[in-house]
Amino acid sequence: MDRTRLIGMLLGTEEDWPSAFEGLMRRLDLDITFEGTKNTFTTERITIEPFDLRMVPRHSVVIDRLAHWYYVPREWLKKIALMNDVYLMNNPFTFQSMEKHAAYCAMMRLGLKVPETWLLPNKKPPNNPRFPYTAQKYNRSFDLATIARAVGYPLFMKPFDGGAWVGVTRITNDDELKRGYDESGERLMHIQKAIDFDVFARSLSIGAETMVMRFDPERPLHDRYKVDHGFLTPEQGEEIVVIGRLVNAFFRWEFNSCETLVKGDEIYPIDYANACPDVSLISLHYYFPWAIMTLAKWAIFCATTERKMRVDQDTANYFSVGDREDMSYDEKIAAYRVLSEEYFETDRYNEFCAKHLPDVEERMVEFVESREFDDLLVETVRTTFPPHEQDTFIPHYRGLLAAWAGDRRAVAG
């Protein structure tokens, strides 16, 4: 029996990574026989339109980059997950947890070293006629400076549903605290203890794989990810990988980034709920080919093996570890690694890739070194940077991508 597996992409404004993904899939031109079925693959950019709730979708896998803010495609994703078992990246039923607050709470219960965090009432109350009566009867007055001192300066004030560092303010005293809170308006805010860190790491997880990168949020977008392969000890790197995959397995996310601060031997996760993680060529540069290659491998694996979409969370399995008072932190991390690898079928995935996708990296290297990819790079730079900067950034990105290709060729031998 022959099957054509359609991988759909639900997109907003992005052009660079979808074009690279499509280019790599064309170059792979896969024909995989798995358990008696011959599988070929094609991709499609999904359009948005009215839909019959009983319609049968053509897609095997959908990579979602839109439904975290656009409700029409979100409801379509819910429908095809519940009724048709289409595999989704990510789970639309846990998007509320992508608003950070639930993710903080869950990971605190699991014993991760989340910095001290408080949720504040809206500075500007909700526009609801019931609010004045409710507030007068039930809302308790509070002294914000007292709470802040309990958390400890310096601290960060940040939206509970934020992203891309929008609305994040570093606070060092009572005056800055008052000003930041006054400016927050209707946004619901967290305040979180700042960590005097040695290293800021950002890990990008796609399915069963994770890339941990050195990150500098204070730099411009094109210079935040550092090409640095030795900035963590093996133990630190392993713990950060486990934390990222734990978050994803717990919430049923397949495509997510996790920010962690490293201070000595301690790892502090500070942001790990990103419905639309950064996979831009402009920001990832050297690491961009890894992201595209890994996204293709995971989508192909899920489509071919007909991996079942899990919309339910087996939280009890995780809490049974997190609630154990007789287990050390290291023992819990080890247990979470087992649980997350079971969820992502890591061994099965690795065996599948070794058997059916052994030359994906070679094809990716060839693609990066091709005229097609260079045209994509040039177009991305021209649509991102002002004209007077383009002649600087085109060779800049060419050099970084050539370095990645050269490094992979050297490893291959």
Side-chain angles (χ1 to χ4, degrees):
M1 181 173 64
D2 295 351
R3 289 287 302 273
T4 297
R5 308 289 188 176
L6 177 59
I7 300 171
M9 293 178 287
L10 194 55
L11 305 170
T13 60
E14 301 159 296
E15 287 293 336
D16 53 356
W17 80 260
S19 297
F21 183 83
E22 292 162 339
L24 177 60
M25 292 297 295
R26 286 194 300 270
R27 285 174 172 269
L28 291 173
D29 192 22
L30 293 167
D31 179 347
I32 295 175
T33 299
F34 182 82
E35 296 182 349
T37 298
K38 178 182 175 182
N39 299 272
T40 55
F41 302 84
T42 186
T43 63
E44 176 184 84
R45 299 191 182 198
I46 298 169
T47 56
I48 300 162
E49 54 196 290
F51 60 91
D52 179 354
L53 269 63
R54 288 189 171 86
M55 59 81 72
V56 178
R58 298 172 294 113
H59 306 87
S60 297
V61 173
V62 172
I63 302 169
D64 167 39
R65 302 281 292 178
L66 184 62
H68 64 289
W69 66 265
Y70 195 177
Y71 288 168
V72 175
R74 182 187 299 192
E75 300 314 307
W76 181 75
L77 290 176
K78 290 178 180 177
K79 172 263 183 296
I80 66 173
L82 286 172
M83 297 182 68
N84 309 108
D85 292 328
V86 175
Y87 202 81
L88 308 180
M89 302 168 61
N90 285 311
N91 180 359
F93 296 95
T94 55
F95 275 159
Q96 184 66 31
S97 300
M98 289 278 189
E99 291 181 345
K100 319 294 184 186
H101 184 74
Y104 282 148
C105 295
M107 294 305 114
M108 285 179 179
R109 180 171 177 180
L110 293 182
L112 299 190
K113 299 169 185 176
V114 181
E116 183 73 10
T117 307
W118 283 60
L119 182 73
L120 303 178
N122 314 68
K123 173 63 179 181
K124 184 177 180 181
N127 183 19
N128 187 307
R130 294 169 292 187
F131 179 80
Y133 177 86
T134 303
Q136 182 179 22
K137 187 169 180 125
Y138 297 110
N139 284 23
R140 297 184 63 180
S141 61
F142 63 94
D143 183 71
L144 182 59
T146 300
I147 295 173
R149 292 189 194 105
V151 173
Y153 290 123
L155 56 82
F156 283 94
M157 181 178 290
K158 50 187 179 179
F160 93 116
D161 60 348
W165 291 80
V166 175
V168 178
T169 307
R170 190 174 189 271
I171 306 291
T172 63
N173 57 55
D174 291 356
D175 290 339
E176 292 176 354
L177 177 72
K178 182 179 183 305
R179 183 164 57 251
Y181 190 47
D182 288 344
E183 293 173 354
S184 67
E186 296 180 355
R187 303 194 76 169
L188 201 58
M189 306 296 283
H190 283 128
I191 56 172
Q192 186 172 81
K193 173 69 176 174
I195 302 297
D196 180 22
F197 60 90
D198 300 321
V199 176
F200 194 126
R202 191 169 199 180
S203 53
L204 176 61
S205 291
I206 301 173
E209 295 193 53
T210 301
M211 176 64 72
V212 183
M213 298 161 282
R214 189 163 197 160
F215 191 72
D216 185 351
E218 296 184 359
R219 298 292 300 163
L221 181 64
H222 69 273
D223 195 30
R224 291 178 182 172
Y225 292 95
K226 305 300 180 183
V227 182
D228 185 348
H229 304 306
F231 66 98
L232 296 170
T233 67
E235 294 76 17
Q236 291 170 336
E238 172 67 16
E239 185 175 336
I240 290 173
V241 167
V242 171
I243 288 172
R245 293 183 190 167
L246 163 64
V247 171
N248 291 357
F250 183 90
F251 287 110
R252 307 309 194 215
W253 300 334
E254 314 283 318
F255 194 7
N256 188 35
S257 61
C258 178
E259 294 176 358
T260 49
L261 304 179
V262 181
K263 178 65 175 178
D265 294 329
E266 304 294 322
I267 308 295
Y268 300 92
I270 60 166
D271 186 355
Y272 38 86
N274 296 286
C276 195
D278 182 10
V279 284
S280 165
L281 187 155
I282 294 301
S283 52
L284 287 186
H285 49 77
Y286 179 92
Y287 300 102
F288 180 76
W290 174 87
I292 300 305
M293 180 174 61
T294 306
L295 190 59
K297 289 194 294 181
W298 184 249
I300 292 164
F301 168 74
C302 294
T304 303
T305 63
E306 298 184 351
R307 176 172 159 87
K308 296 301 181 185
M309 180 67 196
R310 292 280 299 277
V311 298
D312 60 315
Q313 293 177 255
D314 53 350
T315 56
N317 290 339
Y318 295 87
F319 291 149
S320 67
V321 175
D323 293 343
R324 290 269 302 270
E325 295 183 358
D326 62 335
M327 291 182 72
S328 69
Y329 175 79
D330 290 342
E331 289 171 335
K332 290 180 180 181
I333 288 293
Y336 294 144
R337 175 176 180 171
V338 172
L339 286 172
S340 60
E341 289 190 350
E342 287 176 352
Y343 172 72
F344 286 111
E345 300 181 284
T346 303
D347 290 341
R348 186 183 186 213
Y349 168 76
N350 290 334
E351 292 170 3
F352 177 91
C353 291
K355 181 177 181 179
H356 298 290
L357 301 171
D359 60 349
V360 170
E361 184 168 273
E362 182 180 351
R363 298 287 84 79
M364 190 73 220
V365 170
E366 292 173 355
F367 182 31
V368 168
E369 294 176 334
S370 71
R371 176 63 181 270
E372 179 186 356
F373 189 90
D374 189 67
D375 288 345
L376 170 63
L377 184 156
V378 170
E379 178 64 19
T380 301
V381 170
R382 286 178 174 166
T383 56
T384 304
F385 294 97
H388 70 277
E389 294 183 347
Q390 293 170 11
D391 288 344
T392 297
F393 279 108
I394 289 173
H396 171 77
Y397 284 106
R398 281 174 173 164
L400 286 165
L401 273 299
W404 178 84
D407 287 348
R408 301 326 299 163
R409 286 192 180 281
V411 170

